[in-house]
Amino acid sequence: MGLNCFIANNKFIIFTARNFSISIMKKILVANRGEIALRVMKSAREMGIATVAVFSEADRNSPHVRYADEAVCIGPAASKESYLRGDKIVEVAKLLGVDGIHPGYGFLSENAAFAKLVEQNGITFIGPTPEAIEVMGNKLAAKEAAKKFDTPMVPGSEGAITDVVLAKQLSDGIGYPVLIKAAAGGGGKGMRVVERSEDLEEQMQRAQSEALSAFGDGSVFIEKYVGSPKHIEVQVLGDNYGNIVYLFERECSVQRRHQKVVEEAPSSCLTPEKRKAIGEAAVRVAQSCAYIGAGTVEFLVDEQLNFYFLEMNTRLQVEHPVTEMITGVDLVKEQIKVARGEKLSFTQQDLEIRGHAVEIRVYAEDPMNNFLPDIGKLQQYKKPEGPGIRVDDGFEEGMDIPIYYDPMLAKLIAYGKDRTEAIARMIRAIHDYKIVGVKNTLAFCEFVLKHEDFVSGKFDTNFVAKHFKPEYLKQSNEDEMEIAALLAGYLSDKPSAKKASSAKPKQAEEGRSIWAKKRGTYRD
Ligand code: MV4
């Protein structure tokens, strides 16, 4: 163990003590399920690392259990009794001689106490330090840390605000509308828009009591409300030696009630200058908590392209594949390498954007019925394939979709030389995807991808609320049936003479970029 210091922005940072020697990582336990458990185990296997799966009674027949070298049942279906049982997971890890635990996303991934417990038991937590998780887990602490590193913030209160009179003075000064947010919140929970000075007192009291009952912490803060923002996040990666790089941004504005629907990289609204500025701001946020591993810094971007720090996610994110596709970096591999004490093998100058990637999340939900989660048997399941297509999933044909967990069935990722090609490949892949037995969001995603405001890049976080109506899908279903009927008639008259197009994927050019050093694992 040792202390490490470095100078950034004329500020002297002292790292908390961490193990600076290269540690051996022969066996990794993945404290998760579904697609992300598989995703992590694939990279581990490529690195010659053995894998341990943990699973609940509902997941006995899951692919992640079969894929792992060893698998242990840790409890009943309910997450609280299985995937959230950090104590049991550490017990299993010790029993099986595990060197590192990867938490995936959700479940225990941003639980500082779990990260601490893992390390206290002599096992490497494949993620940031408990201190970084803790600071960024509290929105106010996160803002305070980031502010010291010259991070642009939405105008608002300094810290928690309890006094209504002060809150009113401040809000009158900022100008309405303002937004009241819970310090312990996140993902949009406990937010309240206040349109007029007269409404402030009532809304603030409501926000405080809501926050108290939801998070056990009633502190709130106030920000100017940005009306039509884009949600842009930056992927960062830090090592134990003070090196932090950014792997560009992901555009995540297309979301429905704080659930992301379509993500892409890069964002089509940024200029190279803005991209550099937002990337460097993200690195400073990561520096503010001496970040180690893969993390994501979220920003709000307004219509004038001003960007403001929102929060930092101290985990690997669902949408990480789009970043992998455009940079050629395997983020899970880098997480493992950093966790075992290696220096980052590339610098900021080595990184560049190649092409464009789009991801859609396929949920087992019914978009025609207010996105009601659907469960049942996957009677037919056939994935799309072909140039530029990647599917990260955790289910197979014949499997039951359990009710206990997140309804995400799969992530479909399309890569192309540019945005137009990526979108065209995505629409083709949606058509080639066959999911029978469970209602899903494929048609909804197709609606988004074909919408002129999505195609032109003129969209913000209001896109779905503004444009989507369930009737549109009914209409398109009818259209498709009509087309199918017409086609059937046509085909019965004349035999089809369909030509298959076979566009060859472009070979990666040699250069000084990271593409020359590493092969993009998932490209084509
Ligand atoms: C905002 C905002 C407008 N103004 N803050 C929602 C989730 C949480 N992380 C922060 N969020 C927002 N904060 C100010 N000052 C609008 C949102 C917001 C939003 C942000 C990102 C993605 C989708 C969103 C949907 C609605 C509102």
Side-chain angles (χ1 to χ4, degrees), residues 156-332:
S157 61
E158 291 249 348
I161 191 150
T162 47
D163 188 305
V164 179
V165 178
L166 281 179
K168 215 172 210 167
Q169 276 176 6
L170 184 83
S171 302
D172 291 349
I174 293 170
Y176 293 86
V178 296
L179 193 59
I180 307 176
K181 294 184 176 182
K189 277 190 224 122
M191 295 195 332
R192 272 172 182 275
V193 183
V194 184
E195 302 281 355
R196 312 171 307 162
S197 185
E198 304 88 272
D199 300 338
L200 192 88
E201 184 166 352
E202 192 192 332
Q203 295 291 10
M204 197 167 138
Q205 277 158 2
R206 282 195 186 172
Q208 284 170 325
S209 68
E210 255 176 36
L212 189 65
S213 66
F215 314 112
D217 173 1
S219 35
V220 298
F221 59 100
I222 289 175
E223 282 181 357
K224 177 156 188 62
Y225 179 64
V226 182
S228 302
K230 277 181 159 275
H231 173 136
I232 291 181
E233 57 184 35
V234 179
Q235 178 70 55
V236 296
L237 199 52
D239 66 16
N240 284 279
Y241 309 91
N243 304 302
I244 303 179
V245 297
Y246 64 88
L247 291 95
F248 311 105
E249 78 283 358
R250 294 185 285 261
E251 156 71 65
C252 305
S253 300
V254 182
Q255 48 80 47
R256 196 196 140 264
R257 299 198 186 156
H258 305 292
Q259 181 172 278
K260 289 167 186 161
V261 174
V262 178
E263 302 108 338
E264 60 179 310
S267 168
S268 51
C269 79
L270 296 185
T271 60
E273 293 74 31
K274 276 280 167 199
R275 176 163 295 119
K276 185 166 186 281
I278 201 168
E280 288 173 353
V283 167
R284 289 197 302 275
V285 173
Q287 284 169 340
S288 80
C289 62
Y291 201 80
I292 298 167
T296 298
V297 184
E298 293 186 2
F299 293 94
L300 276 184
V301 179
D302 70 16
E303 280 147 307
Q304 289 77 47
L305 295 187
N306 299 305
F307 58 87
Y308 309 100
F309 171 64
L310 260 188
E311 52 195 75
M312 180 170 190
N313 302 316
T314 55
R315 59 166 192 275
L316 183 72
Q317 292 204 224
V318 175
E319 59 272 26
H320 76 276
V322 292
T323 299
E324 297 190 316
M325 303 295 262
I326 63 151
T327 59
V329 173
D330 179 329
L331 286 168
V332 175

Side-chain angles (χ1 to χ4, degrees), residues 93 120 160 168 238 288-289 379 416 435 524:
Q120 276 165 355
K168 215 172 210 167
S288 80
C289 62
Q379 287 158 358
I435 302 177
D524 293 336

Side-chain angles (χ1 to χ4, degrees), residues 48-68:
I49 299 170
T51 55
V52 178
V54 290
F55 62 98
S56 74
E57 283 163 16
D59 283 340
R60 277 188 194 288
N61 300 315
S62 295
H64 88 274
V65 176
R66 240 173 304 121
Y67 192 88

